[in-house]
Amino acid sequence: MQPFVAVIPAKDEAERIAATVQAVRSIPDVAAVVVVDDGSSDTTGDLARTAGADVVRHPRNRGKAAALTTGAAYAVERGHGDLPLLFVDADLEASAARLGVLVPPVADGRADLTIATLPPQKTAGGGRGFVVRLARNGIQRLTGFEAQQPLSGMRCLDRAAYDAAQPLARGWGVETAMTIDVLRAGLTVLEVPCELHHRVTGSDWRGQAHRAKQYRDVWLALARRRLRR
């Protein structure tokens, strides 16, 4: 398998980051694991470094898109600019070891961007699918691509796909926008089943507030791309 660089954006993930880093480091041919500590108030960065990751810290929270951009730039600085990037959510813990399946289709040229599709999670989330449907329908209308899990953050992409997605959309619209921008550039997107498990958002007020922000950011990302068309 071709070497790749894993980028893990993380904020206040002290409970899970060490296990996630260790799992990613166990994937064959990983050239570097870069954790971008996005303004954490806990020991996320220290624990990630102890687990074997290179850590870049944002002094204040700048959001997922900025963290991914910082991680990709760090890979270039370290001489890995020609390697695929594997974007990893920080809360996957041991299941992150299974992310290796996303790399071969990119490495052998079958896809420019691969997206992990997850099985049903151990604990059901508290949402009703409004954000997923918004993203899925928006991607389909703008590109014709029918995404199974448009909000999946676990992705592997080559340099052409990364460049096509620049600048990354703000907030929680980053995945939806990335898929659209890569497809519009004439590149290939492939969804790949992957046995991953992560923390799901509950149905309390914090969960509802999170989903409202997701909906806003995805709507904004779609609106801007409709205007570009």
Side-chain angles (χ1 to χ4, degrees), residues 20-212:
T20 300
V21 168
Q22 290 164 1
V24 175
R25 291 185 68 226
S26 75
I27 302 173
D29 296 314
V30 59
V33 179
V34 183
V35 170
V36 181
D37 182 357
D38 192 26
S40 295
S41 59
D42 61 13
T43 57
T44 291
D46 293 337
L47 292 169
R49 189 176 291 107
T50 299
D54 293 349
V55 177
V56 184
R57 176 169 171 78
H58 290 167
R60 59 179 179 81
N61 179 247
R62 294 170 53 193
K64 188 173 186 180
L68 294 174
T69 301
T70 294
Y74 181 85
V76 173
E77 292 172 5
R78 300 289 290 181
H80 299 313
D82 58 338
L83 299 184
L85 294 169
L86 180 68
F87 291 158
V88 182
D89 285 354
D91 61 354
L92 294 175
E93 298 182 280
S95 72
R98 304 186 184 109
L99 281 168
V101 297
L102 296 181
V103 180
V106 174
D108 63 23
R110 284 179 288 141
D112 298 284
L113 168 64
T114 52
I115 304 171
T117 57
L118 282 62
Q121 298 297 285
K122 297 174 182 177
T123 302
R128 299 185 179 182
F130 295 127
V131 184
V132 171
R133 284 193 293 274
L134 175 67
R136 180 183 293 130
N137 293 340
I139 292 169
Q140 197 279 329
R141 289 183 184 126
L142 290 172
T143 68
F145 182 78
E146 296 184 8
Q148 297 178 52
Q149 294 187 12
L151 302 180
S152 174
M154 283 60 70
R155 298 169 173 237
C156 183
L157 60 168
D158 59 21
R159 179 54 57 174
Y162 179 76
D163 289 345
Q166 296 304 302
L168 297 180
R170 58 160 285 181
W172 303 106
V174 60
E175 289 88 7
T176 301
M178 181 188 298
T179 302
I180 293 169
D181 292 345
V182 169
L183 288 166
R184 281 182 162 179
L187 302 175
T188 303
V189 176
L190 178 67
E191 291 186 307
V192 179
C194 194
E195 287 290 324
L196 303 173
H197 294 277
H198 65 104
R199 180 181 64 251
V200 298
T201 305
S203 58
D204 60 6
W205 69 269
R206 291 183 181 86
Q208 298 302 334
H210 172 73
R211 277 183 283 274

